[in-house]
Amino acid sequence: MAVSNAVGGSGGPGSTAGPWRNWAGNVTARPARSVAPASTEELAAAVRAAATDGLTVKAAGTGHSFTPAAVTDGLLIRPERLTGVRKIDREAGTVTVAAGTPLKHLNETLAAHGLSLTNMGDIMEQTVSGATSTGTHGTGRDSASIAAQITALELVTADGCVLTCSAEENPDVFAVARLGLGALGVISELTFAVEPEFLLTAREEPMPFDEVTGRFDELVAENEHFEFYWFPHTGSCNTKRNNRSQGPAAPPGKVSAWVEDELLSNGVFQLACTVGRAVPAAIPGIAKISSRALSARTYTDIPYKVFTSPRRVRFVEMEYALPRAAAVAALGELKALVERSDFKVSFPVEVRTAPADDLALSTASGRDTAYIAVHMYRGTPFEAYFAAAERIMTAHDGRPHWGKLHTREAGYLADVYPRFGEFTAVRDRLDPERRFANAYLRRVLGD
């Protein structure tokens, strides 16, 4: 077990020891030391000390990535003390928050002040910097990922200096650092655009696979936020449409919400996945029963209570971003793959969308995008299924989610990201000695 202070001097404020594991349990790091700074100054001092001792540096969030993006055998920066909302500027329409703040805390604080992010992903356990640095996104016709909502950031660079970055200040760094993979430095705080809190009406209903795919363009165009889940081994999907509402608020009842979000989506699903892992042949039958159990519901609530939901069943995931026009064809090929193979897939396939954005390494950079995500229950063999799905996605110029499993390397990624060279040029300038490198970044960005 790693011991704090074992390598080169004091571990510093908030120093801790021991291995670090991600949420899914498929990644472990054994840093020489780890530290949990409580301020930008403590963070900068920790980076300078690591440089003196010849250690690489990585920052961890809450471990909701499936890739080893945060792994280091040097200094691991932990997020738990670098938290809190630092400033709410109603006139500017922004909120400034410490990098280790969980999205849940940010959302609850904004709601208490009658404010909200415009869009978000479907879980909120991640830290703000972990979520944005790996490209976490929800679904949206007009509104993009969380990183696209950043208006300024503070970055501790390899020499321990602190850069403030925005469209006006260090704009070349800001252009690439909003989604930086931890390759440019350690983010200490982020400023997001926010707006007055609004209501969303959620409409969830089952729909046949052929109808969803046949109407995909229409459903995306008609709804502010559209997504659906296809249940492998069936022709059934569950659709979700979220649109702004004048109200009044009509949240789901406590009992019905518990039945849908906890009993069915987590409790019963956990049991079904456990049975499927033990008896794979049972999975197609379970999927058919599960898909028939779906029912329609409509409710209206504040944004984070509609966008997000509890995810207690642990899994591994791969997600690819495709040109939106390729989504239906790719999904049809994935369905045909499952039908002709021996794969037994207990988790639904998730399909979401995003508009083109201007972030260099965003999966939606420069093109309207559809996301196709495949999952497998933790502890179930997934490699062959993911490899076959990945071949389909890459044939359509897919871009892998940076925080989810994939096998792509820098050569492929440079071809599908037109601004890849812009990112790596800033990296070469800010971190020429690769203080923030690890094996994953060497694979996806080159050395």
Side-chain angles (χ1 to χ4, degrees):
M1 178 178 291
V3 178
S4 180
N5 306 336
V7 179
S10 170
S15 183
T16 58
W20 174 89
R21 294 182 179 85
N22 70 337
W23 176 81
N26 68 307
V27 174
T28 300
R30 292 180 174 82
R33 66 176 183 244
S34 68
V35 63
S39 66
T40 298
E41 293 73 23
E42 289 183 5
L43 172 58
V47 172
R48 287 193 294 269
T52 298
D53 295 338
L55 298 179
T56 57
V57 178
K58 296 306 299 177
T62 53
H64 274 74
S65 289
F66 303 92
T67 61
V71 167
T72 183
D73 58 4
L75 174 66
L76 185 71
I77 306 291
R78 300 292 295 257
E80 52 264 26
R81 297 173 72 235
L82 194 63
T83 61
V85 173
R86 294 180 170 175
K87 181 182 180 182
I88 292 175
D89 188 333
R90 290 183 177 275
E91 186 174 339
T94 60
V95 59
T96 300
V97 60
T101 306
L103 284 166
K104 180 177 182 179
H105 177 67
L106 172 60
N107 286 330
E108 289 173 347
T109 303
L110 288 174
H113 287 81
L115 299 168
S116 178
L117 295 170
T118 298
N119 197 359
M120 61 194 76
D122 58 2
I123 61 173
M124 54 179 181
E125 279 68 36
Q126 311 106 307
T127 62
V128 292
S129 59
T132 55
S133 293
T134 54
T136 294
H137 61 91
T139 189
R141 180 190 61 202
D142 310 306
S143 52
S145 70
I146 304 175
Q149 297 170 67
I150 295 172
T151 62
L153 60 89
E154 189 179 79
L155 184 73
V156 177
T157 57
D159 57 4
C161 291
V162 181
L163 283 183
T164 301
C165 306
S166 67
E168 293 75 36
E169 192 171 1
N170 295 305
D172 57 331
V173 178
F174 181 69
V176 298
R178 285 174 289 171
L179 199 168
L181 308 180
L184 307 176
V186 181
I187 291 173
S188 50
E189 73 173 28
L190 292 161
T191 299
F192 294 94
V194 294
E195 61 176 298
E197 189 174 73
F198 51 94
L199 292 171
L200 284 173
T201 292
R203 178 183 173 190
E204 303 175 5
E205 67 174 326
M207 191 177 292
F209 179 92
D210 290 343
E211 181 179 354
V212 179
T213 53
R215 295 177 56 198
F216 181 68
D217 291 339
E218 168 199 336
L219 290 164
V220 170
E222 290 181 351
N223 295 281
E224 292 175 82
H225 309 275
F226 174 72
E227 65 184 305
F228 69 93
Y229 299 83
W230 164 59
F231 293 82
H233 312 292
T234 80
S236 301
C237 299
N238 195 33
T239 62
K240 299 180 71 173
R241 286 172 262 193
N242 299 331
N243 290 286
R244 295 199 184 206
S245 169
Q246 295 301 309
K254 289 185 178 180
V255 173
S256 63
W258 180 83
V259 169
E260 288 284 345
D261 297 328
E262 290 292 350
L263 179 62
L264 296 179
S265 296
N266 286 294
V268 173
F269 187 49
Q270 173 79 60
L271 177 62
C273 288
T274 302
V275 171
R277 184 173 63 187
V279 188
I283 288 175
I286 292 171
K288 290 180 173 64
I289 294 170
S290 299
S291 65
R292 286 198 294 268
L294 297 173
S295 57
R297 64 171 176 165
T298 300
Y299 56 94
T300 301
D301 213 332
I302 60 175
Y304 85 85
K305 293 185 177 181
V306 174
F307 284 130
T308 68
S309 57
R311 293 287 185 92
R312 310 197 200 287
V313 182
R314 303 207 179 199
F315 54 85
V316 292
E317 180 178 1
M318 179 179 74
E319 180 180 70
Y320 266 80
L322 308 181
R324 190 174 298 172
V328 171
L331 192 61
E333 292 167 28
L334 183 65
K335 186 172 186 287
L337 167 71
V338 172
E339 289 172 348
R340 70 172 182 265
S341 71
D342 293 327
F343 299 139
K344 299 295 185 288
V345 184
S346 58
F347 254 82
V349 172
E350 184 178 25
V351 181
R352 295 178 285 177
T353 68
D357 64 39
D358 65 349
L359 284 69
L361 291 189
S362 167
T363 46
S365 181
R367 71 186 190 192
D368 289 342
T369 294
Y371 296 96
I372 298 178
V374 297
H375 314 69
M376 287 291 271
Y377 183 49
R378 186 173 68 171
T380 303
F382 64 87
E383 292 84 356
Y385 171 48
F386 280 17
E390 189 172 41
R391 286 192 289 272
I392 292 171
M393 304 307 159
T394 55
H396 291 280
D397 293 326
R399 299 168 176 169
H401 190 299
W402 297 106
K404 300 179 184 179
L405 296 174
H406 68 93
T407 66
R408 297 301 89 189
E409 298 180 348
Y412 174 91
L413 295 165
D415 285 340
V416 295
Y417 282 95
R419 296 173 63 189
F420 191 86
E422 178 184 344
F423 184 96
T424 56
V426 174
R427 181 192 186 208
D428 288 343
R429 177 163 61 84
L430 291 183
D431 189 19
E433 296 182 358
R434 299 296 187 256
R435 180 72 50 207
F436 303 109
N438 63 9
Y440 178 68
L441 292 185
R442 285 192 289 274
R443 172 162 71 86
V444 300
L445 295 177
D447 208 15

